[in-house]
Amino acid sequence: MSTKSAVEQPGEAPRSTKARILGAAEEVFAQHGFEGASTREIAARAHVNISSLHYHWASKETLYVAVFRNVFERIMDHLRSPTPPLPGKDGLRGEKRYVVDRIMRELFDFFAAQPTIPRLLLRRIVEIETLDLGLERDVLGPAWEHFTAWTRRARLDDAAARLFMLTMHSVVMVYALDSGPYRAVLGGSLRETRLRDALRVHVGELARALLDRMAR
């Protein structure tokens, strides 16, 4: 399945000014974090003037929130693609297979195809204590509700569903960074099809084992 880039979002022309600014902002915030990013650098990378950027977003803060909203809309759009009905005869086992083999695979492929996004999300974790823009309330909280709702289909209670998704989300994000230290340990890059396929299988097996343990 192809994954849309930051400048190819629903409702935006592929090379519209707003889409270019969002794509550039995603890259700059991922590279420098909120504090280190500047709207001038974002405008330059988007090939627009600074007044054009501020015409669409009044401040760096509003643009930062817009970037995260855009990212999670893309994730949700990616996961909304048609899926086969859940197997009824297998009961809980079928529910687990759905969660692991569909949702985990799709999330892995999404992050692996766009390493800027895990960098952005991990920077947010580091900055969370000093930066409060209502992001958790307005964007991240509702997104997590969607993720845990899928996991509840595996018959986990709310607390277990959240722990499962947080654990697997963290594992997938760190792998998807495709960082130098990880490439050295793994003996290759996630950009290589062979290694990416092997890691996708590994993540699925890990998720399946964790789900089996938590559902006891």
Side-chain angles (χ1 to χ4, degrees):
M1 179 184 297
S2 63
T3 303
K4 296 178 182 178
S5 72
V7 293
E8 297 174 325
Q9 299 313 305
E12 295 286 354
R15 299 299 299 178
S16 71
T17 299
K18 285 183 69 174
R20 293 205 313 274
I21 294 170
L22 280 173
E26 181 181 304
E27 294 174 358
V28 174
F29 285 130
Q31 183 177 356
H32 301 299
F34 178 81
E35 294 296 338
S38 74
T39 53
R40 289 194 178 278
E41 180 179 356
I42 293 169
R45 196 171 298 197
H47 304 292
V48 303
N49 58 51
I50 191 68
S51 61
S52 179
L53 183 151
H54 286 297
Y55 172 80
H56 294 289
W57 288 283
S59 65
K60 184 168 75 167
E61 289 81 2
T62 57
L63 178 55
Y64 185 72
V65 173
V67 165
F68 276 87
R69 192 180 300 279
N70 177 268
V71 164
F72 280 100
E73 285 175 356
R74 285 152 58 198
I75 294 174
M76 298 304 298
D77 182 63
H78 187 71
L79 294 174
R80 279 193 200 104
S81 59
T83 59
L86 295 176
K89 65 179 181 179
D90 290 335
L92 178 59
R93 184 179 178 186
E95 297 279 4
K96 290 179 182 178
R97 187 178 298 116
Y98 173 87
V99 171
V100 173
D101 294 341
R102 164 91 196 335
I103 302 302
M104 289 298 105
R105 183 186 69 240
E106 295 290 350
L107 285 175
F108 178 88
D109 286 343
F110 181 89
F111 285 130
Q114 303 183 83
T116 297
I117 293 179
R119 291 191 191 102
L120 178 74
L121 296 177
L122 288 173
R123 278 196 175 275
R124 176 60 189 170
I125 293 172
V126 174
E127 295 178 327
I128 194 171
E129 296 300 326
T130 58
L131 186 63
D132 181 14
L133 302 173
L135 194 56
E136 277 62 44
R137 181 191 65 241
D138 299 333
V139 181
L140 303 184
W144 275 109
E145 281 301 315
H146 282 289
F147 295 146
T148 55
W150 285 314
T151 312
R152 290 186 194 105
R153 299 179 75 172
R155 303 293 191 266
L156 297 180
D157 61 29
D158 284 356
R162 290 175 183 275
L163 284 173
F164 174 82
M165 284 304 302
L166 184 59
T167 299
M168 294 311 306
H169 185 259
S170 300
V171 168
V172 169
M173 279 202 305
V174 173
Y175 273 129
L177 283 174
D178 199 34
S179 65
Y182 271 57
R183 289 195 299 270
V185 172
L186 294 170
S189 168
L190 202 62
R191 309 281 80 78
E192 300 167 16
T193 302
R194 176 193 58 79
L195 182 57
R196 184 172 63 251
D197 290 346
L199 283 175
R200 186 190 299 110
V201 171
H202 171 69
V203 167
E205 291 173 346
L206 178 62
R208 196 174 292 117
L210 179 60
L211 200 58
D212 283 339
R213 183 175 183 83
M214 296 183 75
R216 288 176 182 173

